[in-house]
Amino acid sequence: MTESPTEGIIVKIVIIGGTGLIGSKVAQRLTAKGHEVVAASPNTGVNTLTGEGVAEALAGASVVIDVSNSPSFADADVLAFFETSTRNLLAAEQAAGVGHHVAVSIVGSTLLPDSGYMRAKVAQEQLVAAGEVPFSIVHSTQFFEFAKSIADGATDGDTVRIPTARFRPIASDDVADAVAAVALGEPLNGGVDIAGPEEFRFDEFIALALAARGDARTVVGDPEASYFGTKLADGELVPADVTAARLGSVTFEAWQAAQSAAPTH
Ligand SMILES: NC(=O)c1ccc[n+]([C@@H]2O[C@H](COP(=O)([O-])OP(=O)(O)OC[C@H]3O[C@@H](n4cnc5c(N)ncnc54)[C@H](OP(=O)(O)O)[C@@H]3O)[C@@H](O)[C@H]2O)c1
């Protein structure tokens, strides 16, 4: 990680999607370091699709972190979301003189063009890279929190059909640590891969995650199974070079124990 240019300096940091899973955790970390943090989202009056409240939120900001997500994952909706919101945001950042745009994308995004969601994330990455604002892209593997959604998307009756490829999921706390650190560093004008500390087989991890939730569905490992509209070759969802990736420290077992201990809302 490059040395922080913000060490000892309080800066204004706007988090687009700051009310979401990753955004709220990044906001906690940066606020704890004393920075002026704006958690921006439609719920706080900032909408990057319509532009509402964006210029006002960005006034005086040094860094913008985009951890927003599309409310609809339909192919056309998600592409329209990331293209329009990224264009609007980058234009507003340029006007406001923002010095660092941080986006969160997905490890392997460019390898899976049959997935509409991955195509939308690649479109977001390309806009960010082609823009005028210095940037960093954090490519993350799948969050532990995403396991049930993956299973739901692959369920037929009581059977969940999951590819057998390697899988290295990560805790959202580890993602938030990495995103906060990147946001306080020099723009990479490139990307960094982050991943969890342990490698699983994808189907075995989903079986473990469902069992830990007391979910009785049967997971079947199938190399031909589709993952959100795409076939997976082994290695496409894990960092190409794990030694160059930033690895989180939270194991699935520790994460699951913390979930079980946490009060339910
Ligand atoms: N899930 C995974 O395993 C995974 C893996 C790698 C990367 N990622 C990426 O991680 C990022 C964050 O995901 P997450 O799970 O933390 O998302 P999330 O919990 O679903 O939060 C989404 C956020 O986006 C905001 N948002 C929605 N529409 C918006 C708009 N028009 N303008 C501004 N903000 C808007 C929401 O605001 P409101 O609360 O006001 O609706 C919310 O704060 C996403 O970009 C995703 O692609 C996810």
Side-chain angles (χ1 to χ4, degrees):
M1 203 63 54
T2 48
E3 195 176 320
S4 167
T6 56
E7 199 66 54
I9 304 169
I10 302 302
V11 294
K12 177 174 171 182
I13 302 172
V14 177
I15 306 177
I16 305 295
T19 56
L21 173 68
I22 302 301
S24 56
K25 289 174 184 277
V26 173
Q28 282 167 9
R29 284 154 173 76
L30 296 173
T31 303
K33 284 188 173 290
H35 296 291
E36 181 190 346
V37 175
V38 177
S41 82
N43 274 321
T44 67
V46 181
N47 188 325
T48 48
L49 268 185
T50 62
E52 181 201 351
V54 175
E56 295 82 348
L58 264 53
S62 303
V63 181
V64 170
I65 301 171
D66 184 6
V67 278
S68 62
N69 208 352
S70 174
S72 160
F73 284 12
D75 285 3
D77 293 344
V78 75
L79 184 63
F81 178 86
F82 281 113
E83 285 190 334
T84 307
S85 63
T86 303
R87 280 201 186 98
N88 288 342
L89 194 51
L90 291 173
E93 288 175 22
Q94 220 180 322
V98 169
H100 191 182
H101 177 98
V102 180
V104 176
S105 193
I106 305 172
V107 165
S109 57
T110 57
L111 304 177
L112 299 167
D114 289 343
S115 156
Y117 192 84
M118 295 293 189
R119 285 198 299 275
K121 294 301 286 183
V122 171
Q124 176 192 18
E125 291 178 42
Q126 286 173 342
L127 286 167
V128 169
E132 299 293 324
V133 182
F135 69 95
S136 303
I137 299 176
V138 178
H139 290 102
S140 174
T141 56
Q142 288 64 38
F143 311 156
F144 289 154
E145 288 83 352
F146 195 46
K148 180 176 178 296
S149 301
I150 292 172
D152 291 350
T155 295
D156 184 6
D158 281 337
T159 303
V160 189
R161 206 162 283 281
I162 299 289
T164 51
R166 281 174 292 142
F167 198 63
R168 206 178 242 276
I170 184 168
S172 57
D173 279 311
D174 280 334
V175 177
D177 284 345
V179 172
V182 166
L184 295 178
E186 296 284 0
L188 302 170
N189 293 318
V192 61
D193 282 357
I194 64 170
E198 307 162 292
E199 190 170 281
F200 299 86
R201 224 175 69 179
F202 197 171
D203 57 312
E204 290 175 353
F205 174 76
I206 297 299
L208 198 62
L210 291 186
R213 300 171 58 89
D215 187 321
R217 282 178 283 177
T218 303
V219 177
V220 175
D222 176 357
E224 297 301 312
S226 149
Y227 173 63
F228 290 114
T230 186
K231 290 274 158 53
L232 277 184
D234 187 37
E236 286 181 329
L237 287 184
V238 295
D241 178 3
V242 85
T243 61
R246 175 181 165 135
L247 299 183
S249 60
V250 182
T251 62
F252 180 67
E253 193 183 357
W255 178 84
Q256 186 55 49
Q259 298 302 112
S260 307
T264 49
H265 300 286

